[in-house]
Amino acid sequence: MSYQNILVGVDGSKQADMAFEKAVDTAKTNDAKLYLLSIINGERYPSTGPGGYGFVSHSIYDSAEAAGIKAVETDVKVGNAKVELAERYPKENDIDLIIIGATGLNVVGRLLVGSTAAYTIREAPCDVTVVKTNLKNQKLDIKETTYPEM
């Protein structure tokens, strides 16, 4: 199977960084277009950590290009992160693979909002890869992956 349009959610978390690294590697392998998406939470539930403000930066874009990705598109959407990442954006852009970090919100946020990764697996119209390790297949300590309430 060859993927042509790969979407990765970026929010500034360590898990999102690992997902980004694996998405770059997968896009290079498949000579695919890489979509970098950050979502500003427009719902009533709290959004914690850097992801609450949109995190597609020039450095991420530049890193993808420097790695040899020929086609990179960045976008920031306002709305429900789960719906945007799992349903709307993939359908609007013919995404055939979503790569997402296993977690991104702190424990309180996950309880209130639910797991974006789990929702994406259930609802996405394409393949989904959930990243729990870095490129060396090393898992991060969970203490490094949570953010304090803002």
Side-chain angles (χ1 to χ4, degrees):
M1 170 97 200
S2 177
Y3 296 106
Q4 300 302 306
N5 297 301
I6 299 171
L7 171 63
V8 62
V10 292
D11 67 0
S13 68
K14 291 188 186 315
Q15 296 85 1
D17 291 345
M18 292 187 308
F20 170 74
E21 289 175 357
K22 290 196 176 184
V24 166
D25 192 55
T26 305
K28 280 178 23 182
T29 300
N30 288 275
D31 195 27
K33 183 172 186 176
L34 183 60
Y35 293 81
L36 307 173
L37 178 63
S38 184
I39 300 149
I40 298 170
N41 193 345
E43 296 295 314
R44 61 188 170 126
Y45 301 111
S47 180
T48 58
Y53 306 104
F55 195 76
V56 176
S57 70
H58 290 292
S59 62
I60 293 174
Y61 179 87
D62 293 343
S63 295
E65 282 196 327
I69 307 300
K70 295 174 186 146
V72 181
E73 184 167 320
T74 63
D75 207 348
V76 177
K77 297 285 186 183
V78 176
N80 180 301
K82 292 189 278 190
V83 173
E84 288 295 332
L85 187 68
E87 299 178 60
R88 286 189 189 129
Y89 199 86
K91 289 175 184 171
E92 291 170 0
N93 294 281
D94 287 330
I95 301 297
D96 48 19
L97 176 63
I98 299 170
I99 299 179
I100 186 173
T103 59
L105 294 174
N106 67 21
V107 175
V108 173
R110 280 196 300 271
L111 290 173
L112 289 174
V113 181
S115 169
T116 300
Y119 184 88
T120 302
I121 290 167
R122 259 192 335 271
E123 302 297 330
C126 59
D127 290 345
V128 177
T129 297
V130 177
V131 175
K132 293 178 140 186
T133 61
N134 63 18
L135 284 175
K136 296 178 183 176
N137 288 327
Q138 297 168 326
K139 188 173 181 179
L140 287 180
D141 182 359
I142 192 68
K143 292 175 190 167
E144 296 180 64
T145 63
T146 58
Y147 296 103
E149 290 295 321
M150 295 187 87

